[in-house]
PDB file of all heavy atoms in Angstrom:
ATOM      1  N   SER A   1    -152.879-118.164-111.878  1.00  0.00           N
ATOM      2  CA  SER A   1    -154.296-118.700-111.823  1.00  0.00           C
ATOM      3  C   SER A   1    -154.933-118.175-113.049  1.00  0.00           C
ATOM      4  O   SER A   1    -154.658-117.151-113.699  1.00  0.00           O
ATOM      5  CB  SER A   1    -154.950-118.016-110.602  1.00  0.00           C
ATOM      6  OG  SER A   1    -156.370-118.134-110.656  1.00  0.00           O
ATOM      7  N   SER A   2    -156.021-118.953-113.435  1.00  0.00           N
ATOM      8  CA  SER A   2    -156.739-118.541-114.647  1.00  0.00           C
ATOM      9  C   SER A   2    -157.969-117.685-114.235  1.00  0.00           C
ATOM     10  O   SER A   2    -158.810-117.354-115.067  1.00  0.00           O
ATOM     11  CB  SER A   2    -157.201-119.775-115.459  1.00  0.00           C
ATOM     12  OG  SER A   2    -158.075-120.554-114.565  1.00  0.00           O
ATOM     13  N   ALA A   3    -158.150-117.386-112.992  1.00  0.00           N
ATOM     14  CA  ALA A   3    -159.192-116.546-112.519  1.00  0.00           C
ATOM     15  C   ALA A   3    -158.878-115.074-112.876  1.00  0.00           C
ATOM     16  O   ALA A   3    -157.784-114.544-112.592  1.00  0.00           O
ATOM     17  CB  ALA A   3    -159.349-116.689-110.968  1.00  0.00           C
ATOM     18  N   TYR A   4    -159.797-114.461-113.563  1.00  0.00           N
ATOM     19  CA  TYR A   4    -159.694-113.080-114.026  1.00  0.00           C
ATOM     20  C   TYR A   4    -159.293-112.212-112.892  1.00  0.00           C
ATOM     21  O   TYR A   4    -158.386-111.357-112.935  1.00  0.00           O
ATOM     22  CB  TYR A   4    -160.904-112.685-114.737  1.00  0.00           C
ATOM     23  CG  TYR A   4    -160.915-111.230-115.213  1.00  0.00           C
ATOM     24  CD1 TYR A   4    -160.233-110.849-116.290  1.00  0.00           C
ATOM     25  CD2 TYR A   4    -161.500-110.252-114.377  1.00  0.00           C
ATOM     26  CE1 TYR A   4    -160.247-109.506-116.749  1.00  0.00           C
ATOM     27  CE2 TYR A   4    -161.510-108.950-114.783  1.00  0.00           C
ATOM     28  CZ  TYR A   4    -160.815-108.643-115.965  1.00  0.00           C
ATOM     29  OH  TYR A   4    -160.821-107.211-116.384  1.00  0.00           O
ATOM     30  N   SER A   5    -160.100-112.277-111.860  1.00  0.00           N
ATOM     31  CA  SER A   5    -159.977-111.362-110.726  1.00  0.00           C
ATOM     32  C   SER A   5    -158.683-111.395-110.005  1.00  0.00           C
ATOM     33  O   SER A   5    -158.161-110.448-109.438  1.00  0.00           O
ATOM     34  CB  SER A   5    -161.085-111.536-109.720  1.00  0.00           C
ATOM     35  OG  SER A   5    -161.123-112.810-109.180  1.00  0.00           O
ATOM     36  N   VAL A   6    -158.012-112.586-110.079  1.00  0.00           N
ATOM     37  CA  VAL A   6    -156.808-112.863-109.328  1.00  0.00           C
ATOM     38  C   VAL A   6    -155.609-112.164-110.095  1.00  0.00           C
ATOM     39  O   VAL A   6    -154.713-111.641-109.499  1.00  0.00           O
ATOM     40  CB  VAL A   6    -156.540-114.341-109.080  1.00  0.00           C
ATOM     41  CG1 VAL A   6    -155.180-114.636-108.501  1.00  0.00           C
ATOM     42  CG2 VAL A   6    -157.615-114.918-108.188  1.00  0.00           C
ATOM     43  N   ASN A   7    -155.560-112.360-111.415  1.00  0.00           N
ATOM     44  CA  ASN A   7    -154.324-112.045-112.132  1.00  0.00           C
ATOM     45  C   ASN A   7    -154.406-110.991-113.225  1.00  0.00           C
ATOM     46  O   ASN A   7    -153.378-110.571-113.776  1.00  0.00           O
ATOM     47  CB  ASN A   7    -153.869-113.329-112.889  1.00  0.00           C
ATOM     48  CG  ASN A   7    -153.109-114.174-112.011  1.00  0.00           C
ATOM     49  OD1 ASN A   7    -152.185-113.738-111.227  1.00  0.00           O
ATOM     50  ND2 ASN A   7    -153.413-115.441-111.896  1.00  0.00           N
ATOM     51  N   SER A   8    -155.529-110.427-113.465  1.00  0.00           N
ATOM     52  CA  SER A   8    -155.580-109.429-114.555  1.00  0.00           C
ATOM     53  C   SER A   8    -154.697-108.200-114.236  1.00  0.00           C
ATOM     54  O   SER A   8    -153.938-107.739-115.184  1.00  0.00           O
ATOM     55  CB  SER A   8    -157.037-108.946-114.836  1.00  0.00           C
ATOM     56  OG  SER A   8    -157.651-108.387-113.656  1.00  0.00           O
ATOM     57  N   SER A   9    -154.732-107.680-113.144  1.00  0.00           N
ATOM     58  CA  SER A   9    -153.919-106.455-112.811  1.00  0.00           C
ATOM     59  C   SER A   9    -152.400-106.753-112.727  1.00  0.00           C
ATOM     60  O   SER A   9    -151.585-106.082-113.309  1.00  0.00           O
ATOM     61  CB  SER A   9    -154.348-105.878-111.479  1.00  0.00           C
ATOM     62  OG  SER A   9    -155.585-105.335-111.527  1.00  0.00           O
ATOM     63  N   LEU A  10    -152.102-107.843-112.103  1.00  0.00           N
ATOM     64  CA  LEU A  10    -150.647-108.272-112.024  1.00  0.00           C
ATOM     65  C   LEU A  10    -150.072-108.493-113.423  1.00  0.00           C
ATOM     66  O   LEU A  10    -148.969-108.003-113.770  1.00  0.00           O
ATOM     67  CB  LEU A  10    -150.494-109.562-111.198  1.00  0.00           C
ATOM     68  CG  LEU A  10    -149.010-110.107-111.183  1.00  0.00           C
ATOM     69  CD1 LEU A  10    -148.076-109.144-110.558  1.00  0.00           C
ATOM     70  CD2 LEU A  10    -149.065-111.488-110.405  1.00  0.00           C
ATOM     71  N   GLY A  11    -150.724-109.274-114.193  1.00  0.00           N
ATOM     72  CA  GLY A  11    -150.278-109.593-115.595  1.00  0.00           C
ATOM     73  C   GLY A  11    -150.154-108.250-116.457  1.00  0.00           C
ATOM     74  O   GLY A  11    -149.150-108.104-117.085  1.00  0.00           O
ATOM     75  N   PHE A  12    -151.185-107.399-116.278  1.00  0.00           N
ATOM     76  CA  PHE A  12    -151.127-106.228-117.039  1.00  0.00           C
ATOM     77  C   PHE A  12    -150.004-105.350-116.608  1.00  0.00           C
ATOM     78  O   PHE A  12    -149.242-104.821-117.523  1.00  0.00           O
ATOM     79  CB  PHE A  12    -152.409-105.402-116.837  1.00  0.00           C
ATOM     80  CG  PHE A  12    -152.643-104.152-117.688  1.00  0.00           C
ATOM     81  CD1 PHE A  12    -153.143-104.185-118.916  1.00  0.00           C
ATOM     82  CD2 PHE A  12    -152.067-102.971-117.181  1.00  0.00           C
ATOM     83  CE1 PHE A  12    -153.181-103.099-119.727  1.00  0.00           C
ATOM     84  CE2 PHE A  12    -152.111-101.843-117.939  1.00  0.00           C
ATOM     85  CZ  PHE A  12    -152.678-101.847-119.178  1.00  0.00           C
ATOM     86  N   ARG A  13    -149.745-105.178-115.352  1.00  0.00           N
ATOM     87  CA  ARG A  13    -148.623-104.370-114.904  1.00  0.00           C
ATOM     88  C   ARG A  13    -147.268-104.895-115.441  1.00  0.00           C
ATOM     89  O   ARG A  13    -146.398-104.089-115.790  1.00  0.00           O
ATOM     90  CB  ARG A  13    -148.555-104.340-113.395  1.00  0.00           C
ATOM     91  CG  ARG A  13    -149.577-103.332-112.813  1.00  0.00           C
ATOM     92  CD  ARG A  13    -149.348-102.983-111.405  1.00  0.00           C
ATOM     93  NE  ARG A  13    -149.224-104.186-110.523  1.00  0.00           N
ATOM     94  CZ  ARG A  13    -150.259-104.840-109.908  1.00  0.00           C
ATOM     95  NH1 ARG A  13    -151.510-104.457-110.150  1.00  0.00           N
ATOM     96  NH2 ARG A  13    -150.028-105.913-109.189  1.00  0.00           N
ATOM     97  N   ARG A  14    -147.085-106.226-115.434  1.00  0.00           N
ATOM     98  CA  ARG A  14    -145.825-106.789-115.913  1.00  0.00           C
ATOM     99  C   ARG A  14    -145.552-106.378-117.449  1.00  0.00           C
ATOM    100  O   ARG A  14    -144.504-105.939-117.847  1.00  0.00           O
ATOM    101  CB  ARG A  14    -145.804-108.281-115.792  1.00  0.00           C
ATOM    102  CG  ARG A  14    -145.713-108.788-114.344  1.00  0.00           C
ATOM    103  CD  ARG A  14    -145.670-110.324-114.455  1.00  0.00           C
ATOM    104  NE  ARG A  14    -145.729-110.927-113.127  1.00  0.00           N
ATOM    105  CZ  ARG A  14    -146.037-112.166-112.914  1.00  0.00           C
ATOM    106  NH1 ARG A  14    -146.384-113.012-113.956  1.00  0.00           N
ATOM    107  NH2 ARG A  14    -146.100-112.693-111.628  1.00  0.00           N
ATOM    108  N   VAL A  15    -146.568-106.723-118.226  1.00  0.00           N
ATOM    109  CA  VAL A  15    -146.377-106.475-119.665  1.00  0.00           C
ATOM    110  C   VAL A  15    -146.414-104.920-119.979  1.00  0.00           C
ATOM    111  O   VAL A  15    -145.645-104.526-120.804  1.00  0.00           O
ATOM    112  CB  VAL A  15    -147.479-107.222-120.517  1.00  0.00           C
ATOM    113  CG1 VAL A  15    -147.206-107.081-121.981  1.00  0.00           C
ATOM    114  CG2 VAL A  15    -147.362-108.740-120.205  1.00  0.00           C
ATOM    115  N   ALA A  16    -147.259-104.237-119.347  1.00  0.00           N
ATOM    116  CA  ALA A  16    -147.249-102.773-119.507  1.00  0.00           C
ATOM    117  C   ALA A  16    -145.830-102.168-119.154  1.00  0.00           C
ATOM    118  O   ALA A  16    -145.437-101.247-119.807  1.00  0.00           O
ATOM    119  CB  ALA A  16    -148.302-102.083-118.642  1.00  0.00           C
ATOM    120  N   GLY A  17    -145.212-102.716-118.126  1.00  0.00           N
ATOM    121  CA  GLY A  17    -143.870-102.241-117.787  1.00  0.00           C
ATOM    122  C   GLY A  17    -142.911-102.357-118.922  1.00  0.00           C
ATOM    123  O   GLY A  17    -142.078-101.476-119.156  1.00  0.00           O
ATOM    124  N   TYR A  18    -143.030-103.455-119.713  1.00  0.00           N
ATOM    125  CA  TYR A  18    -142.147-103.588-120.892  1.00  0.00           C
ATOM    126  C   TYR A  18    -142.472-102.539-121.976  1.00  0.00           C
ATOM    127  O   TYR A  18    -141.561-101.820-122.399  1.00  0.00           O
ATOM    128  CB  TYR A  18    -142.376-105.019-121.511  1.00  0.00           C
ATOM    129  CG  TYR A  18    -141.745-105.172-122.858  1.00  0.00           C
ATOM    130  CD1 TYR A  18    -140.364-105.366-122.945  1.00  0.00           C
ATOM    131  CD2 TYR A  18    -142.483-105.155-124.021  1.00  0.00           C
ATOM    132  CE1 TYR A  18    -139.705-105.426-124.216  1.00  0.00           C
ATOM    133  CE2 TYR A  18    -141.838-105.187-125.298  1.00  0.00           C
ATOM    134  CZ  TYR A  18    -140.487-105.301-125.350  1.00  0.00           C
ATOM    135  OH  TYR A  18    -139.881-105.435-126.615  1.00  0.00           O
ATOM    136  N   ILE A  19    -143.755-102.306-122.293  1.00  0.00           N
ATOM    137  CA  ILE A  19    -144.060-101.307-123.304  1.00  0.00           C
ATOM    138  C   ILE A  19    -143.897 -99.892-122.839  1.00  0.00           C
ATOM    139  O   ILE A  19    -143.675 -99.041-123.755  1.00  0.00           O
ATOM    140  CB  ILE A  19    -145.439-101.564-123.993  1.00  0.00           C
ATOM    141  CG1 ILE A  19    -146.556-101.135-123.010  1.00  0.00           C
ATOM    142  CG2 ILE A  19    -145.533-102.975-124.573  1.00  0.00           C
ATOM    143  CD1 ILE A  19    -147.890-101.079-123.685  1.00  0.00           C
ATOM    144  N   PHE A  20    -143.949 -99.657-121.620  1.00  0.00           N
ATOM    145  CA  PHE A  20    -143.710 -98.253-121.127  1.00  0.00           C
ATOM    146  C   PHE A  20    -142.276 -97.929-120.826  1.00  0.00           C
ATOM    147  O   PHE A  20    -141.935 -96.941-120.220  1.00  0.00           O
ATOM    148  CB  PHE A  20    -144.586 -98.039-119.794  1.00  0.00           C
ATOM    149  CG  PHE A  20    -146.080 -98.115-120.037  1.00  0.00           C
ATOM    150  CD1 PHE A  20    -146.921 -98.583-119.090  1.00  0.00           C
ATOM    151  CD2 PHE A  20    -146.623 -97.830-121.275  1.00  0.00           C
ATOM    152  CE1 PHE A  20    -148.281 -98.663-119.255  1.00  0.00           C
ATOM    153  CE2 PHE A  20    -148.015 -97.882-121.510  1.00  0.00           C
ATOM    154  CZ  PHE A  20    -148.820 -98.302-120.470  1.00  0.00           C
ATOM    155  N   GLY A  21    -141.381 -98.797-121.367  1.00  0.00           N
ATOM    156  CA  GLY A  21    -139.931 -98.458-121.291  1.00  0.00           C
ATOM    157  C   GLY A  21    -139.104 -99.463-120.486  1.00  0.00           C
ATOM    158  O   GLY A  21    -137.891 -99.243-120.445  1.00  0.00           O
ATOM    159  N   GLY A  22    -139.691-100.371-119.877  1.00  0.00           N
ATOM    160  CA  GLY A  22    -138.962-101.354-119.113  1.00  0.00           C
ATOM    161  C   GLY A  22    -138.300-102.441-119.956  1.00  0.00           C
ATOM    162  O   GLY A  22    -138.614-103.577-119.828  1.00  0.00           O
ATOM    163  N   ASN A  23    -137.500-101.998-120.923  1.00  0.00           N
ATOM    164  CA  ASN A  23    -136.799-102.935-121.845  1.00  0.00           C
ATOM    165  C   ASN A  23    -135.388-102.435-121.994  1.00  0.00           C
ATOM    166  O   ASN A  23    -135.018-101.386-121.452  1.00  0.00           O
ATOM    167  CB  ASN A  23    -137.610-102.964-123.179  1.00  0.00           C
ATOM    168  CG  ASN A  23    -137.784-101.622-123.766  1.00  0.00           C
ATOM    169  OD1 ASN A  23    -136.886-100.902-124.149  1.00  0.00           O
ATOM    170  ND2 ASN A  23    -139.061-101.221-123.897  1.00  0.00           N
ATOM    171  N   GLU A  24    -134.576-103.229-122.693  1.00  0.00           N
ATOM    172  CA  GLU A  24    -133.185-102.926-122.735  1.00  0.00           C
ATOM    173  C   GLU A  24    -132.819-101.557-123.335  1.00  0.00           C
ATOM    174  O   GLU A  24    -131.739-101.036-123.162  1.00  0.00           O
ATOM    175  CB  GLU A  24    -132.379-104.019-123.484  1.00  0.00           C
ATOM    176  CG  GLU A  24    -132.593-104.065-124.981  1.00  0.00           C
ATOM    177  CD  GLU A  24    -131.713-105.075-125.686  1.00  0.00           C
ATOM    178  OE1 GLU A  24    -130.993-105.786-125.042  1.00  0.00           O
ATOM    179  OE2 GLU A  24    -131.899-105.114-126.891  1.00  0.00           O
ATOM    180  N   LYS A  25    -133.690-101.040-124.170  1.00  0.00           N
ATOM    181  CA  LYS A  25    -133.412 -99.666-124.775  1.00  0.00           C
ATOM    182  C   LYS A  25    -134.149 -98.602-124.084  1.00  0.00           C
ATOM    183  O   LYS A  25    -134.049 -97.412-124.504  1.00  0.00           O
ATOM    184  CB  LYS A  25    -133.842 -99.762-126.296  1.00  0.00           C
ATOM    185  CG  LYS A  25    -132.992-100.654-127.135  1.00  0.00           C
ATOM    186  CD  LYS A  25    -133.404-100.563-128.523  1.00  0.00           C
ATOM    187  CE  LYS A  25    -132.537-101.503-129.398  1.00  0.00           C
ATOM    188  NZ  LYS A  25    -133.018-101.572-130.836  1.00  0.00           N
ATOM    189  N   GLY A  26    -134.951 -98.876-123.066  1.00  0.00           N
ATOM    190  CA  GLY A  26    -135.816 -97.875-122.483  1.00  0.00           C
ATOM    191  C   GLY A  26    -136.803 -97.278-123.403  1.00  0.00           C
ATOM    192  O   GLY A  26    -137.272 -96.157-123.212  1.00  0.00           O
TER     193      GLY A  26
END
């Protein structure tokens, strides 16, 4: 959804997971 309130937290958690070590090298 393009609604800020619906997706801001979910999208943030997904991408933050990558930068906080959720990648192939940890």
Side-chain angles (χ1 to χ4, degrees):
S1 166
S2 63
Y4 175 81
S5 61
V6 173
N7 278 311
S8 59
S9 292
L10 173 63
F12 185 91
R13 281 193 310 272
R14 284 181 190 163
V15 182
Y18 170 75
I19 70 166
F20 296 148
N23 54 64
E24 71 174 2
K25 293 182 180 176

